[in-house]
Amino acid sequence: VESPDQGFSISRYDGNIEPLNSSGAVDASSASPPKVSTIYGVAGSIRLLAGTYLLVITSRKEVGSYLGFPVFRVISMKFLSCNEALRLSNYQEKRDEAYFRTLLKVVESTPGLYYSYETDITLSLQRRFKLTEGWMSKSIWKQADPRFVWNRNILEDLIESKLDGFIIPLLQGNILKLFIAYTGRLKLKNSPATIILISRRCTRRLGTRMWRRGANLEGDTANFTETEQLFEFEGSRSSLLQIRGSIPLIWEQIVDLSYKPRLKIIDHEQTSKVVERHFRDILKRYGETVAVDLTDKHGDEGQLSAAFAAEMQKLPNVRYISFDFHHYCGNSNFDNMKLLYDEVSEDFEKQGYFLVDAEGKILSEQKGVIRSNCIDCLDRTNVTQSYLAQKSLNSQLQRLGVLSSTECISMSSEDFEVFKTIWVQQGDEISLEYSGTHALKQDLLKFGKQTMAGLIKDGISAISRYYLNNFHDGIRQDAMDLISGRYSANRNNPSPFQLNGFESFTYLPIASALLIGGLTATSFTVQQAGRSPQHFMSSVICAGVTAGMMALIRVNGRQFCSRPRLCGLL
């Protein structure tokens, strides 16, 4: 070890972490040469039933800079086993540990993680400028907003050991910058300008699309994401913040093999308190709030929207706007977004944006926020946020004198194409993190209408979502619950296998095999049906048995889907 004061050791005996100093350095002459590996950061550690596992960054990619500091995207991570006590475990504990290790493999492939060695990336530009100098001199992890630190739970051991130099807060979301090679440079009036789009995904109700809906009792909502559009021009910087989040009621949509499972609003005595807690937190953090609800006004979505509207009537300090996106903007009527803007424009323009000049003088502040939601807070929400971001960018460009009062960025086809591309990429990343697939309706952003290629791509993504939601997301949800600390693995907890005796992943292949066999037998007997009455009866029996099996599987669809085993829905 060349710099023993810059390291730490993990005990093979009990997994405890200790700072490595000169008195604790390993004597190279008496010890066998250790295996040396190159890593790019320590993301944290987690204790399971049979030992401690250290999560390290094994590959990274520099994706640009934030306020002059390099920013990296995590390409790959790996859990290193530090100590093992499997030999002291019973059969059930060994089985549980094997499942937990499977979850760690899922965690290793978590998409959309970013970090910087030199600056915090979880705070918006306005919050950074409002903080005192003493705050900015703290360690990066102490500056960070804990809502947006993806690995906050697994940093505890490093924090307790006072290893500040090794603590790297990871942000899940995206950081996209227009000077990246594949997007080129934005040029306005022949002066270079830069747009950075940052999305910060909250960890308080972290989860997958179908297994984390609505809000918990504390008012935290699923897929809550803060998106900041930063604009830099000739030393001046401006920022627009928008937020999205699931409808803050207590509701669920449990997968059951159907393409669109039924929505269910849970009648809970604390529903009104949950909505109040959610918006009280937003008002405290962001100021004046306008809630834009993009859900349909019929069917299950209509019932959920009506319940949301009823609760919002009880909150006089938050403006609620209902805009049926599919009704107004369906069939490629993207121009109808101006109807929504007409409703929200007065509040949106009054909220403004944050602007600081080249000398660091604050010229204006953002005084509120637009909170958008649909059902998933993905596709419709992304189209809406990009539309509002474009309107705000036009105002910023006009104030800085880049554009006249009659000009807008859409008049520059090359610049506008880059703007749309970065929002498409942002929507894709948020969708991959929540649903596991690319976002839908991206051609609305790029072309202002739906295209045949876009419809085909949306169809493929929809099929992928169906498969992942029904047959894979239960394990993904368990992985998120484990890494976020909602579930703690220890020997005193009951086994997750004992809590869920019916194993869906065991019965699904059997049911699938029987169903395929029944369809094959029916097809074969139908071909032989005309030869004799016996063949005809065999065909009828096989068809009846297959139909019965299909009905049985359909009725018990939830039992055949992948579902979480570690934590409940709230």
Side-chain angles (χ1 to χ4, degrees):
V1 181
E2 295 182 4
S3 301
D5 59 332
Q6 297 294 317
F8 64 90
S9 63
I10 302 177
S11 170
R12 287 286 189 183
Y13 175 71
D14 56 14
N16 288 335
I17 297 177
E18 297 289 343
L20 193 62
N21 49 44
S22 56
S23 61
V26 177
D27 184 356
S29 62
S30 61
S32 58
K35 178 181 178 181
V36 178
S37 301
T38 299
I39 64 171
Y40 298 94
V42 179
S45 65
I46 186 169
R47 293 175 184 264
L48 301 181
L49 299 179
T52 298
Y53 298 82
L54 189 72
L55 181 60
V56 298
I57 301 169
T58 55
S59 180
R60 68 181 187 186
K61 179 181 179 181
E62 186 172 348
V63 293
S65 62
Y66 176 62
L67 305 180
F69 300 100
V71 174
F72 299 88
R73 180 187 178 112
V74 175
I75 303 300
S76 63
M77 301 184 293
K78 185 175 181 60
F79 276 99
L80 304 178
S81 177
C82 300
N83 70 303
E84 292 189 11
L86 273 180
R87 62 185 182 278
L88 304 176
S89 305
N90 59 38
Y91 169 77
Q92 188 62 55
E93 289 171 342
K94 289 179 180 179
R95 188 183 183 194
D96 292 354
E97 187 77 0
Y99 182 66
F100 292 142
R101 286 187 173 187
T102 299
L103 299 183
L104 296 187
K105 289 291 184 183
V106 176
V107 171
E108 289 175 354
S109 59
T110 300
L113 297 178
Y114 295 82
Y115 69 96
S116 173
Y117 297 110
E118 302 175 57
T119 191
D120 170 60
I121 57 176
T122 66
L123 298 179
S124 67
L125 186 66
Q126 181 164 314
R127 284 189 67 188
R128 287 176 68 99
F129 268 84
K130 303 278 281 187
L131 292 174
T132 62
E133 291 185 10
W135 180 269
M136 299 304 293
S137 64
K138 292 182 177 181
S139 300
I140 292 176
W141 74 268
K142 293 180 180 178
Q143 299 176 29
D145 187 334
R147 295 180 301 159
F148 304 128
V149 179
W150 174 84
N151 57 330
R152 181 63 180 82
N153 175 65
I154 58 175
L155 291 174
E156 288 299 330
D157 285 345
L158 294 176
I159 292 173
E160 289 181 8
S161 300
K162 302 187 185 324
L163 293 166
D164 289 5
F166 290 92
I167 298 175
I168 298 178
L170 296 179
L171 168 74
Q172 187 177 39
N174 60 57
I175 299 178
L176 302 169
K177 196 166 183 178
L178 290 197
F179 64 66
I180 299 174
Y182 57 78
T183 56
R185 242 196 196 287
L186 180 65
K187 290 189 176 180
L188 303 165
K189 301 291 186 183
N190 296 318
S191 297
T194 304
I195 296 179
I196 306 171
L197 199 57
I198 304 177
S199 287
R200 305 175 176 102
R201 192 178 182 205
C202 183
T203 61
R204 288 181 175 176
R205 190 158 168 74
L206 194 63
T208 60
R209 176 173 173 250
M210 288 300 191
W211 292 111
R212 283 295 174 268
R213 294 293 208 187
N216 58 21
L217 295 180
E218 288 72 39
D220 305 314
T221 60
N223 203 24
F224 185 90
T225 305
E226 175 188 281
T227 298
E228 181 177 21
Q229 180 176 278
L230 288 164
F231 178 69
E232 300 176 353
F233 178 75
E234 295 184 345
S236 296
R237 290 172 176 159
S238 59
S239 160
L240 173 72
L241 277 181
Q242 297 185 74
I243 57 176
R244 68 178 76 191
S246 189
I247 291 178
L249 304 178
I250 301 175
W251 59 283
E252 64 183 21
Q253 190 177 19
I254 305 299
V255 291
D256 59 3
L257 296 183
S258 61
Y259 176 72
K260 193 173 184 180
R262 296 294 304 271
L263 300 175
K264 180 183 177 182
I265 303 173
I266 299 174
D267 186 15
H268 198 283
E269 60 182 5
Q270 291 198 46
T271 293
S272 295
K273 288 291 185 182
V274 166
V275 178
E276 181 185 352
R277 288 169 190 147
H278 176 73
F279 282 101
R280 185 171 62 228
D281 183 60
I282 291 178
L283 288 166
K284 179 181 177 182
R285 294 179 183 278
Y286 299 99
E288 178 185 309
T289 302
V290 177
V292 177
D293 180 13
L294 303 168
T295 54
D296 297 345
K297 297 300 169 276
H298 56 81
D300 287 353
E301 282 195 25
Q303 294 179 23
L304 185 62
S305 179
F308 185 26
E311 292 297 334
M312 294 304 294
Q313 293 296 320
K314 305 173 186 177
L315 300 178
N317 54 347
V318 179
R319 187 184 175 199
Y320 171 80
I321 296 175
S322 178
F323 182 80
D324 188 335
F325 185 94
H326 285 149
H327 173 73
Y328 290 106
C329 299
N331 300 318
S332 300
N333 294 320
F334 184 62
D335 288 343
N336 285 340
M337 283 296 299
K338 63 186 179 183
L339 298 176
L340 171 62
Y341 189 73
D342 290 341
E343 284 197 67
V344 77
S345 60
E346 183 177 349
D347 289 309
F348 184 58
E349 291 168 7
K350 185 169 67 173
Q351 289 174 2
Y353 48 83
F354 180 72
L355 177 64
V356 59
D357 64 18
E359 285 73 41
K361 180 182 178 182
I362 297 176
L363 303 180
S364 67
E365 296 182 28
Q366 185 172 342
K367 300 180 179 63
V369 73
I370 303 293
R371 182 202 188 276
S372 304
N373 74 265
C374 47
I375 290 297
D376 298 328
C377 301
L378 294 176
D379 314 313
R380 288 172 280 184
T381 298
N382 203 54
V383 172
T384 301
Q385 287 195 340
S386 68
Y387 188 88
L388 295 176
Q390 178 190 338
K391 292 291 187 181
S392 179
L393 182 59
N394 287 335
S395 297
Q396 295 166 37
L397 293 172
Q398 290 167 6
R399 178 166 180 174
L400 292 171
V402 180
L403 300 178
S404 70
S405 60
T406 59
E407 292 178 320
C408 58
I409 190 173
S410 59
M411 292 180 176
S412 172
S413 58
E414 182 180 349
D415 298 335
F416 191 44
E417 189 65 30
V418 172
F419 172 84
K420 292 186 293 184
T421 297
I422 204 170
W423 272 94
V424 168
Q425 293 169 348
Q426 184 257 182
D428 263 347
E429 287 214 38
I430 294 177
S431 182
L432 283 168
E433 292 157 13
Y434 187 48
S435 72
T437 71
H438 294 288
L440 310 181
K441 299 181 176 66
Q442 297 295 60
D443 47 347
L444 279 179
L445 277 179
K446 296 185 72 173
F447 309 113
K449 62 180 181 179
Q450 286 195 308
T451 63
M452 182 56 65
L455 288 172
I456 294 173
K457 183 180 178 181
D458 285 355
I460 295 172
S461 293
I463 293 172
S464 297
R465 280 187 187 181
Y466 173 83
Y467 172 79
L468 292 172
N469 295 162
N470 282 276
F471 305 119
H472 186 65
D473 278 357
I475 293 177
R476 278 213 310 148
Q477 184 61 56
D478 277 345
M480 294 181 189
D481 288 337
L482 182 65
I483 205 67
S484 64
R486 291 196 73 240
Y487 180 89
S488 298
N490 64 66
R491 297 176 186 270
N492 296 323
N493 281 348
S495 166
F497 290 91
Q498 293 174 346
L499 290 174
N500 299 276
F502 187 94
E503 300 295 345
S504 59
F505 68 87
T506 300
Y507 285 84
L508 181 62
I510 297 175
S512 301
L514 290 174
L515 189 59
I516 293 173
L519 290 172
T520 302
T522 300
S523 176
F524 177 76
T525 54
V526 165
Q527 295 177 5
Q528 307 294 324
R531 297 187 179 183
S532 67
Q534 290 83 357
H535 285 121
F536 178 77
M537 287 303 298
S538 298
S539 176
V540 171
I541 292 171
C542 286
V545 171
T546 302
M549 289 177 56
M550 292 177 67
L552 182 65
I553 292 173
R554 177 66 185 86
V555 170
N556 297 280
R558 290 190 179 187
Q559 304 301 325
F560 293 96
C561 295
S562 170
R563 63 187 186 280
R565 300 182 230 179
L566 303 185
C567 298
L569 294 177
L570 291 180

